[in-house]
Amino acid sequence: MRNIVHRHLGKMVAGTAIAVAGTAVMVAVTLPGTAGADDNGTRAGQSAPQAAGAAGAAGAGEAAAGGRAVAPGVVEAAPAEGQRGEGRDPLTDDELRRAEKIALSRQLFRSSESVDGDRGPQPLGVDLAEPEADEAGRPDAPRRADVTFYDYRDDTLVTRTVDLGTGKVVATGTQHGVQPPLSRAEKAEAAGLLIADPLGSGLKADYKDATGKALTSPDQLQLSGAVYRAAAGAQPAVLDQCGEHRCVRLFPKIKNGPWVDARQLVIDLSARKVARLDR
């Protein structure tokens, strides 16, 4: 846990996928090498290398134009987004908000639980629903959205399909043992549980070493993470339900600092427990 990947090793880390062992599904995460320094050790945001490149480009442009300066490019503003999309257009911001509001009925809100134990399911995402077989290619096909929630009360994935034209829920599905990608709120909650747990002492010590400050909140970290599923004999018994429970493997990065290797730790969000994987 006290293994810090320092910034001067960023180049080596950037090209390396972290293979997650001991799970039923192999997971790989590539750490971005430009998250703070380039290959020459220059911090991101400094303009010296870019200025040199720009000067070279300008010189090439002048040469191509017979010595005349080339006018700078113009970036056009994005077109205004309407309240409603058409056909297979991506969902607009208004449609995203409307779909989630319609999908979260009073009954679902009262009977479910979010990742932090509050009333209401944990929102995961809103996606444009696929058309029915007889609707494919029709310009007047209804626009629908699939809204997904995770109910931590009984570890259920809930998918509700909303007809954006009528404003009604037209289908509801529930599944157990299905683990879609984690939301930002779930990764933050997992980090909070890890920080508060004795097994998070190494992470806190690494943060202290790198910044001179105490780690007290997930907001002090940049968080990536992956769902962890149990594999027979590959973890301590406390993690045997991962897959039915929603479990997380975090890849934390100190803001403006190094990555911290926390791959051996798994946070069970459903049971609100932290455990170390058997090697």
Side-chain angles (χ1 to χ4, degrees), residues 145-160:
D146 288 331
V147 185
T148 53
F149 303 97
Y150 196 86
D151 183 0
Y152 277 88
R153 180 182 59 83
D154 58 1
D155 285 296
T156 302
L157 180 68
V158 180
T159 304
R160 310 199 85 184

Side-chain angles (χ1 to χ4, degrees), residues 220-232:
Q220 295 168 262
L221 300 168
Q222 291 178 339
L223 297 170
S224 298
V227 170
Y228 175 82
R229 289 180 174 274

Side-chain angles (χ1 to χ4, degrees), residues 1-6 190-191 194-195 197-209 215 221 223 250-254 258-267 274-277 279:
M1 182 64 195
R2 294 298 307 278
N3 178 19
I4 274 193
V5 183
H6 289 285
L194 179 57
I195 292 169
D197 192 272
L199 287 174
S201 60
L203 172 62
K204 290 188 286 188
D206 288 341
Y207 188 90
K208 182 76 170 179
D209 289 345
L215 175 61
L221 300 168
L223 297 170
L250 284 178
F251 308 103
K253 182 182 184 297
I254 298 170
W259 295 87
V260 179
D261 187 356
R263 288 172 292 168
Q264 291 302 114
L265 301 177
V266 174
I267 302 96
V274 181
R276 186 184 298 276
L277 290 173
R279 293 186 179 276

